[in-house]
Amino acid sequence: QVQVRESGGDLVQTGESLNLSCSFSGVADDGYARGWFRQVPGKEREGVSCISSNYGITHYTDSVKGRFTISRDDAKNTLYLQMDSLKPEDTARYYCAVVTRLDCSGSWWDHVLDAWGQGTLVTVSS
């Protein structure tokens, strides 16, 4: 089965940057898309970004567009999320997941493999 481990979260100030990493194991097909989610206690998990294996096609939720950059290194089985110009509203626990699709079209956030790690906490102070 697929296992994931997120890392890189930290306590930072508004305007600073972080780079999150997600290590995947047990993923048989690199052709599937990958995604980042975040969740605040008491709120639903939100799809933040998705990246396809084809032509680097990506998707970002509007609130992070222009500030976050998703990337992947399939040779290392690792997914990244570069977060710049962080805002207090970015504070959340961030999770990664395998998208059960070959691309990020449509509502990709509703089609993910049920293999969640513990996430990594990002806290942005105001």
Side-chain angles (χ1 to χ4, degrees):
Q1 66 175 38
V2 174
Q3 293 180 290
V4 300
R5 184 173 65 181
E6 302 92 346
S7 62
D10 204 352
L11 170 63
V12 299
Q13 298 182 54
T14 298
E16 294 184 341
S17 298
L18 283 174
N19 186 247
L20 306 184
S21 298
C22 173
S23 178
F24 292 88
S25 64
V27 179
D29 195 340
D30 290 339
Y32 287 100
R34 305 284 189 267
W36 281 100
F37 294 77
R38 64 186 180 187
Q39 187 170 35
V40 177
K43 303 289 186 179
E44 293 185 348
R45 186 153 45 210
E46 174 191 21
V48 175
S49 185
C50 174
I51 182 168
S52 171
S53 64
N54 298 318
Y55 306 108
I57 298 172
T58 58
H59 174 272
Y60 299 92
T61 191
D62 287 343
S63 63
V64 309
K65 208 170 285 184
R67 299 187 297 117
F68 290 10
T69 303
I70 189 171
S71 62
R72 60 191 287 175
D73 186 340
D74 289 338
K76 297 181 179 180
N77 226 348
T78 303
L79 179 71
Y80 303 96
L81 185 67
Q82 177 65 43
M83 305 185 296
D84 297 319
S85 301
L86 283 163
K87 304 175 180 180
E89 52 262 45
D90 295 318
T91 295
R93 186 168 291 275
Y94 285 71
Y95 302 86
C96 56
V98 175
V99 180
T100 56
R101 298 173 63 91
L102 299 180
D103 56 45
C104 302
S105 62
S107 55
W108 63 268
W109 50 87
D110 288 329
H111 304 275
V112 297
L113 190 66
D114 189 18
W116 301 96
Q118 291 188 318
T120 185
L121 182 63
V122 172
T123 303
V124 185
S125 65
S126 59

